[in-house]
Each structure stands twice: as C-alpha cells, then as structure tokens.
Amino acid sequence: MIEKYDHLIEQSDLISRDLSWLSFNYRVLDQSMKTGRSLFDRLKFVAITASNADEFFMIRVGSLYNYLDYGKDRIDNSGLRAVPFKRKLLNDYKAFTSTQHDIFINSLKPEFSENNFEIATYDKLQKREKERVSNYFEKIVFPMLTPMVYDSYHTFPVLMNNILVFGVVTKTQDKKEKKKMSFIQIPQNLPRFYEMERKEKVIFVPIEEVVRQHINEVFKNVEIVSKTLFRVTRNGDFTLEESEDMEANFIEEMKKKLKTRKTGRVVRLEVEATYDKWLLRQLKNRYEIDDDNIIQVPEGGLMDYTGLWSIVKHDEFKDKTVETPKPVPPISMSEYEDQNMFKILKDRDILLHHPYNSIDPLLDLLDQAAEDPNVLSIKLTIYRLAKNSRVVSALLNAAENGKHVSVLFEVKARFDEENNMKEAQRLQRAGCFVIYGVGMLKTHTKLLLIVRREGEKVRRFVHMSSGNYNEDTARLYTDIGLMSSNEAYANDVQEFFNVITGHSVPDQYENLITAPREMRNKLIELIRKEEENAKNGLESGIVIKLNSLQDTDTIMALYAASRAGVKIKLIVRGICCIRPGREGLSENITVRSIVGDYLEHSRIYYFHNNGNPLVYSGSADMMVRSFDSRLESLFLINDVLLKQQAINILCFNLKDNVNAYEMNEDGSFTMVNAGEEKPFNIHKEFYRVKREGVLAAKIV
C-alpha cells in the first residue's frame, strides 16, 4: 500500500508540506552525525529534533486530526487524502525515530565515558550511589507523586501533554480483583536527571529510573504486574473564534484555549519497547488511536530527547562546547562602542546581520530613546521576547519618562502565548498603549518607529527586520535588520502602524510590501516581470532565501518563470513544496537548504530586474498563512552598500559547501560535498566579511 502511495506522491508537481518538514528534521538530525562537532553539539541537535517533533505533532498532526475527527477530508500536495496520508506520514515518522534512536544508542552513547559522564540505569549504579538515589526518592520525589487509579469507581485521569507517565498494572494480594490500571505522572518541576559524581565523571540517572526502582513504595500491599513508561502528545492546534465582544474578552478567551492544549485529543503515544500489552490496548481504546500513533522507544534509548539540554548546558561541560565568536561591526558602521545612535543614523543607514553583528546597536537605540528628553513616541511590534528582555525594560523606562509608547503585542505567537500575555499586561500597567493583535490576523511583522523632536521639526527613526526583538535568539538565529532615518521608510512604517492600530486604508507604499493586503500579488508581479524579461531576451534571475515555501500560487508563478528560461535559485531552510529540476516544469529551478550552527531565519528576495536589482527583506515566508492570515512586511533595500551586503549574503549561501544540502526532484536532499574545493562555511565566513568583498558581490 505504501508503495502505491509513493507512486502517487512522485506524480504530483508539488511536495507535501508535512513530508517536507520530516525531511528537514532529518537534516537537523544529520548534524548529530558530523564527527567534527563536539559530542555536546551533537547531542544538542538530537534534542532539537525532539523539540521539533513535539511541536510538529501538536500542530501539524493535530491539524490533520481536526479533519479526521470530524469526518472531513482534505487532499495533501502529495495527492493523498486524509486517511492514507496520515498512514504515510506516521509510518515515515517511525522510520525517522528509528534512525534517531540508532544514532543516540550506537553513535553518541559510546562517547559518553570519554567525555566524563554517563547516563546510568539503576542496575549500573554502585551500592553507595543506589543509597543516594533512594534517599533522593524518599526525601524529594515520593512526596510529589500522586498515583491515579482508573476503575469502576474512578474516572480516567487527564494525563498531561508531553509529560513522562508510568502506567502501572496491579492486582490486590487476594487476587480476587481483576487487573487495575494506575498512573503516576512525573512532575515537570523535577530535574530530568538526578546527578552524582563518580571520581571525575558526572553520573546522570534519568528521573524515570529513580521512580521505576521505587514504585513499590507508592503501591504498597498490592501485586505490581507491570510498570510501563509512556508519554502522550496532544493536539495543540486551535483557533480563536471571532465575535462581537472578542476584543473585550481577548485575554480570557486566549487563556481558555491554552488550557485545551493541555487536554486535547492524543495524536502520539510514545511507549517503551517493554510495554504491557494489556495496558497499551486500554490506552489505544481510550485515546481512539491505532498502531500508526504508537512510537516505541527501544532499550538503551531515551524517552523525550529534549531532556538532553540539561546535559548540553551543564556547567561541568562549558569548556567542551564551541565558543561563539565575538560579533563584528556592521559593514556601514565603525567599531561599535556606546555611540549615539541618533547621530549615526542621521548620517547613514545600517544593516545588521545577526548573529555576526550584535543586536546591541538596536537595543542601545531603544535605551537612548527611553532616556532622551527629545523623543516623543516609540511604536513597535512584538512577537517573541527574550527572558529578562532589554526591549521591555526600555519601553517601561520610556513610559515612566512620559513618552508615548505603543506596542502591538502578538499574544498568539505559538508556545509564547502565556509569556507574551504576562509581558503585555505589565507594559499596559506601566501606561503603554498595548494592542493585542488585529482581529484574527497574527502580527508577525517586525517594525519599530521612534519620533524625536529636533528643533522645530521632528525626525523619525525606523528599524525593519526579519527577526524578533529578542536578544537571545539574535545570538542563535541568522537575521537581518535595517536601521534608518530615511523619510521614505519612515512614511511607510508610520502609515503601516496607522493601518494596524487604527482604521486607516493605506495609499501605495513606496518601500514596503505588506500582507494580507498585497504581498502575494506583488511578489507574483515581480516574478512575472522576470519571466517577461527572459521572454524578451533581457537579463533575468531570481534568488530567494527564506524559511518555508508552500504557497501554491507563487510556486506556479515560479514554474512559469522557469519555463520561460529564468534561472531561479532558492535557499529554503525548512518546508519546501516546490519540485525542482522536473523536465518541462522546473529545469531552471534549484533548491538548497542550509542547516548548521545557527538557525537560518533571514528572508531575502532578489530580482535581477535587467541589471538593476530589487532586493527585499522582512518577516514573511512564501506561505499561505504569511499572505492571508498574518500582518507581514517586506522592505526594499535602497542604499547601494546595504543592497550589496544583502546580495553578498545570498552569494555566500549559494557558495557554502559545509552546511548545504541540494534538493532532488523527488523531494529528498543530498549533502553538498566540498570535494577538492576549499571548505566554505558561511557560519564562519560571515565573521570575516570585508567592505571590498561586499561591493564586488554579484549573483551569477
């Protein structure tokens, strides 16, 4: 049956979004096999794949079950309907987990000892270590455990999302009763591992091994038939229903919806390979799932690899992880050190390329704006924040200093909803004007506007970015942001703020392309212009770097441009639904993916325009959600030097032969091999960029 599905998938001109995601997670997992990395970096990538999978099941598989559970059907890009597609997707995911466990057990675990640590089961501990574990259980763990029985007198307990749980099958000692099921959830606020030192080694005992060994103390005077560790993942995909009083009750409605994420229908059940068959049958019946949803964890594997973060970030191993290089100054800015940002931006625009350039110039601009008595107002959009955010601190300071502060706070940012609600309410209490999104649209655009009095006039300073106002991710994600006092940019950004905070209908923007109003049509127009140039014998070309490419209309426009002879080079980190290199359809389209030390998050759109390139950047991918369900913006880079800087970023991405993968027609990816060429690793080369090289950069 699967072979039949594969034949249908190969016939489609589009790649399945969800199967493409799985291919991306394979590329992330592939980083854990690169022996040039430290063991701790390799463990980090295993943890990332696990976190990716948790979110994927909660949102994408959850969304699929929103169709299946209500008897609705859908046709995937692969051509498969909902039921066969579910079967295909979950079976392919099982193959992925098999590879994941194999890498952990056979490639990574053998290196633990030489790196001075072990993950130990109870039976591998020494006598005194067992005594310490027992003491830890009795003093700390035991008082926190709550056994929950399910029988004719007790309802089935709500087992929380993505929590380790023991399913315990018992009989009473007189054996008159039939089997009973009980459950013990391992509290989230317990450390993932109990730690001990053995000579120069750190011994990590998984918390489930601590509980497993002492579970008899929880179930006294009953016969324990079996104890099975498992973990359920629930549907976390929800939407808010728009209503007349939605604005007044938005926060309360959001809180209610977030609670459903903790108790939604089960879409995945991870269970250790030595599971109790009777228990598993009860769980499958209870959760209305079948064998497709059951993911077995083999002996020697670890349930929930996100727990590896506690080892990766352990203080004992700080010297064994690769130190991040010191950021370098932006191309258009001299060595940065507490300079007056208003003075600099009146002189020239600055393009920040994170993490190679520090986010400090932007944060200092906000700090200086908060303190400057001539600054009248600050407006910005917030999607995801850092912990102990300097951005929030600057805004609170600005409000205290009497400045008008407007914040469009996206509290629907997935998995950051609760933190965003808390921070938004904190700003509101300080006197900031806070807007909780615009209707059902998700505010994903990244814009900042500062208005400053200068004599009898005002000057406006803007920042437009592909990344969040988040100093933590600015050290880990590649993003670009443009800082400017250019009046044309300021007019566009102010107009956009008027639109999203009020009821203004915008005129044509000079330098912005915005969604949901015009972005899809404008990008298709730019693609068609390249197609027209190619047909007329003029120079043409398209290079686009983004996170995800899924929108069918823009894909079809790219196919048409390819057939006209336009060379199209796509750099897509994750989901990519376009099919490159197909005869008669996309011979002129190539796709590559960069996966390495940093998360590639910047978006850059390059159109050759017969030798006068148009280069845009901003917050938007080519996704249906970006064009139809989000407030997004792309900004045109006008400054000659900064445009060349963006072009150079694309050139480097196309040149990388260390972190790059090339996409094949069937949707699979092949790692780029440097061969006899000199290795070119963009995650190192961007720290060495020189002005002369930037000015000479050219798309070939």
Side-chain angles (χ1 to χ4, degrees):
M1 187 68 78
I2 296 295
E3 289 179 3
K4 179 183 176 183
Y5 296 161
D6 287 343
H7 179 64
L8 287 171
I9 291 168
E10 288 167 7
Q11 290 178 335
S12 173
D13 285 342
L14 298 172
I15 302 291
S16 163
R17 169 180 174 164
D18 294 331
L19 295 178
S20 179
W21 171 87
L22 188 55
S23 176
F24 164 65
N25 218 28
Y26 267 112
R27 297 195 295 281
V28 178
L29 184 62
D30 194 40
Q31 308 309 304
S32 68
M33 289 296 289
K34 293 192 174 182
T35 53
R37 299 186 182 279
S38 75
L39 172 65
F40 299 94
D41 273 341
R42 295 165 68 192
L43 288 171
K44 175 188 74 175
F45 282 104
V46 175
I48 291 171
T49 63
S51 178
N52 288 348
D54 286 351
E55 181 174 340
F56 178 75
F57 269 86
M58 290 175 65
I59 304 306
R60 293 302 304 165
V61 180
S63 172
L64 178 59
Y65 270 91
N66 288 340
Y67 286 83
L68 295 169
D69 287 343
Y70 293 96
K72 297 187 290 183
D73 203 359
R74 74 174 202 189
I75 299 178
D76 180 73
N77 278 350
S78 61
L80 299 180
R81 294 189 176 276
V83 172
F85 180 72
K86 180 206 79 166
R87 208 164 293 145
K88 166 69 177 170
L89 177 64
L90 294 182
N91 274 286
D92 282 8
Y93 175 74
K94 286 184 181 184
F96 170 82
T97 60
S98 179
T99 303
Q100 184 187 48
H101 290 305
D102 180 63
I103 289 172
F104 179 75
I105 295 167
N106 297 314
S107 297
L108 301 179
K109 280 183 84 171
E111 296 185 24
F112 288 2
S113 184
E114 63 191 70
N115 283 274
N116 302 322
F117 76 94
E118 294 287 351
I119 296 178
T121 53
Y122 188 83
D123 60 307
K124 299 295 183 183
L125 299 178
Q126 298 170 359
K127 182 180 179 182
R128 292 184 67 182
E129 292 170 342
K130 290 179 180 179
E131 290 172 357
R132 288 186 61 185
V133 168
S134 296
N135 185 60
Y136 173 66
F137 177 82
E138 290 168 11
K139 295 289 197 305
I140 304 295
V141 180
F142 180 70
M144 298 177 67
L145 300 182
T146 303
M148 298 172 286
V149 67
Y150 171 58
D151 58 20
S152 54
Y153 300 101
H154 301 84
T155 59
F156 194 91
V158 176
L159 302 178
M160 302 303 285
N161 186 42
N162 288 336
I163 300 293
L164 295 177
V165 182
F166 271 107
V168 183
V169 179
T170 59
K171 287 182 180 179
T172 54
Q173 286 185 336
D174 60 15
K175 299 187 180 178
K176 289 181 180 178
E177 279 198 57
K178 295 180 180 179
K179 293 178 182 177
K180 279 189 178 182
M181 278 189 299
S182 296
F183 302 96
I184 294 179
Q185 293 188 132
I186 298 179
Q188 272 183 300
N189 54 350
L190 283 172
R192 184 66 180 83
F193 300 98
Y194 176 64
E195 299 173 21
M196 297 179 289
E197 288 189 13
R198 181 192 297 168
K199 295 182 180 179
E200 294 184 356
K201 277 188 182 179
V202 181
I203 305 300
F204 294 97
V205 184
I207 185 62
E208 61 268 29
E209 294 302 311
V210 176
V211 175
R212 186 196 306 275
Q213 189 60 34
H214 298 86
I215 215 160
N216 288 12
E217 296 180 36
V218 181
F219 296 92
K220 293 182 177 178
N221 300 317
V222 293
E223 178 188 346
I224 295 179
V225 177
S226 66
K227 38 199 173 185
T228 301
L229 183 72
F230 67 93
R231 181 174 181 258
V232 297
T233 303
R234 296 178 178 275
N235 183 357
D237 184 52
F238 65 79
T239 55
L240 292 170
E241 300 298 327
E242 193 162 11
S243 62
E244 291 182 7
D245 61 346
M246 183 67 183
E247 190 171 335
N249 299 315
F250 185 83
I251 294 297
E252 290 307 311
E253 286 297 316
M254 197 70 191
K255 288 178 179 176
K256 289 178 186 176
K257 287 292 185 180
L258 288 174
K259 287 180 181 178
T260 68
R261 184 175 282 165
K262 298 176 181 178
T263 58
R265 79 105 67 226
V266 171
V267 294
R268 178 180 62 172
L269 174 59
E270 296 169 279
V271 61
E272 57 188 353
T274 55
Y275 63 85
D276 181 287
K277 293 180 181 179
W278 179 80
L279 173 75
L280 187 61
R281 280 199 304 272
Q282 311 308 311
L283 292 175
K284 285 167 63 177
N285 290 335
R286 181 73 195 181
Y287 292 138
E288 298 180 347
I289 55 178
D290 54 33
D291 288 339
D292 292 338
N293 306 82
I294 309 301
I295 311 297
Q296 291 188 38
V297 178
E299 186 176 353
L302 190 68
M303 191 172 294
D304 185 11
Y305 284 116
T306 63
L308 293 173
W309 280 113
S310 59
I311 297 176
V312 172
K313 295 183 176 182
H314 197 282
D315 288 343
E316 189 73 22
F317 311 122
K318 278 185 177 178
D319 61 337
K320 295 196 176 185
T321 55
V322 178
E323 191 173 341
T324 303
K326 182 183 177 182
V328 296
I331 291 295
S332 60
M333 194 174 175
S334 59
E335 184 69 42
Y336 178 75
E337 196 171 324
D338 296 328
Q339 300 183 53
N340 184 315
M341 292 307 303
F342 294 117
K343 184 178 179 180
I344 293 170
L345 292 175
K346 282 192 285 186
D347 179 63
R348 61 193 177 278
D349 291 354
I350 296 169
L351 192 71
L352 297 174
H353 186 201
H354 308 304
Y356 316 104
N357 305 144
S358 170
I359 196 174
D360 283 349
L362 171 62
L363 297 175
D364 286 347
L365 174 66
L366 279 168
D367 286 338
Q368 291 167 17
E371 293 289 345
D372 190 331
N374 291 316
V375 167
L376 304 176
S377 71
I378 302 173
K379 299 181 180 182
L380 85 165
T381 59
I382 292 178
Y383 192 71
R384 298 190 197 278
L385 286 167
K387 292 179 181 178
N388 304 315
S389 169
R390 269 184 67 184
V391 173
V392 170
S393 296
L395 297 177
L396 291 171
N397 190 26
E400 287 176 8
N401 289 334
K403 303 178 193 313
H404 175 76
V405 179
S406 299
V407 183
L408 204 163
F409 222 125
E410 185 46 78
V411 295
K412 299 187 291 293
R414 189 168 288 151
F415 304 120
D416 278 304
E417 298 97 341
E418 293 181 73
N419 182 61
N420 282 5
M421 282 190 286
K422 182 183 75 174
E423 292 298 297
Q425 290 172 320
R426 185 178 164 209
L427 288 168
Q428 204 165 25
R429 287 193 296 269
C432 300
F433 176 53
V434 176
I435 302 156
Y436 295 107
V438 179
M440 292 299 100
L441 298 173
K442 186 175 283 189
T443 305
H444 193 250
T445 185
K446 281 76 179 181
L447 297 174
L448 164 68
L449 175 68
I450 296 171
V451 180
R452 185 174 188 261
R453 183 193 297 114
E454 295 187 355
E456 296 182 359
K457 298 181 179 180
V458 296
R459 186 184 291 267
R460 293 165 297 176
F461 300 82
V462 301
H463 174 262
M464 306 166 286
S465 178
S466 67
N468 297 305
Y469 292 105
N470 184 321
E471 52 267 42
D472 289 344
T473 56
R475 300 184 193 100
L476 304 170
Y477 296 5
T478 72
D479 272 306
I480 62 175
L482 178 64
M483 303 172 73
S484 176
S485 63
N486 181 286
E487 278 294 292
Y489 285 135
N491 288 336
D492 281 356
V493 173
Q494 182 165 316
E495 181 70 28
F496 194 41
F497 270 113
N498 290 341
V499 170
I500 61 182
T501 63
H503 296 286
S504 173
V505 177
D507 295 324
Q508 190 69 31
Y509 296 108
E510 187 174 342
N511 293 292
L512 289 185
I513 303 174
T514 64
R517 181 170 175 260
E518 60 174 2
M519 189 173 288
R520 178 188 284 111
N521 290 340
K522 183 63 176 177
L523 288 174
I524 289 175
E525 181 183 315
L526 290 165
I527 294 167
R528 285 177 177 163
K529 179 63 176 176
E530 297 302 313
E531 177 187 350
E532 182 182 326
N533 284 347
K535 287 178 177 177
N536 291 331
L538 302 175
E539 290 186 80
S540 64
I542 297 171
V543 182
I544 300 175
K545 180 185 185 301
L546 58 158
N547 299 335
S548 303
L549 172 56
Q550 171 255 339
D551 181 70
T552 301
D553 291 346
T554 48
I555 289 173
M556 292 303 162
L558 290 168
Y559 283 156
S562 171
R563 287 193 294 268
V566 180
K567 296 294 183 184
I568 301 169
K569 300 176 182 180
L570 304 174
I571 307 154
V572 188
R573 183 195 79 213
I575 296 164
C576 183
C577 297
I578 204 167
R579 194 181 288 278
R582 172 162 285 187
E583 187 178 349
L585 180 72
S586 55
E587 292 104 324
N588 290 309
I589 297 177
T590 62
V591 179
R592 63 166 31 205
S593 174
I594 306 287
V595 182
D597 291 334
Y598 300 130
L599 182 82
E600 291 294 328
H601 194 251
S602 54
R603 291 94 166 178
I604 304 174
Y605 295 76
Y606 167 95
F607 301 93
H608 188 280
N609 196 35
N610 192 29
N612 183 23
L614 298 172
V615 183
Y616 290 86
S617 183
S619 58
D621 292 311
M622 283 181 161
M623 301 279 283
V624 171
R625 69 184 186 192
S626 298
F627 296 153
D628 297 337
S629 307
R630 291 184 169 189
L631 288 167
E632 300 271 20
S633 63
L634 296 173
F635 54 89
L636 181 64
I637 302 175
N638 291 309
D639 181 271
V640 174
L641 175 61
L642 303 191
K643 184 193 291 190
Q644 279 298 122
Q645 187 180 348
I647 289 171
N648 188 64
I649 292 171
L650 293 176
C651 289
F652 272 31
N653 274 264
L654 293 170
K655 191 177 177 182
D656 187 291
N657 57 19
V658 174
N659 308 292
Y661 296 77
E662 295 285 351
M663 188 177 181
N664 304 308
E665 185 200 346
D666 63 1
S668 65
F669 281 79
T670 302
M671 185 186 297
V672 174
N673 192 332
E676 296 181 2
E677 294 181 3
K678 183 180 177 181
F680 191 89
N681 181 346
I682 58 169
H683 295 153
K684 293 181 179 178
E685 294 296 333
F686 277 123
Y687 287 104
R688 305 168 186 156
V689 171
K690 301 297 181 187
R691 188 185 184 98
E692 308 78 56
V694 165
L695 289 171
K698 186 177 181 180
I699 300 288
V700 179

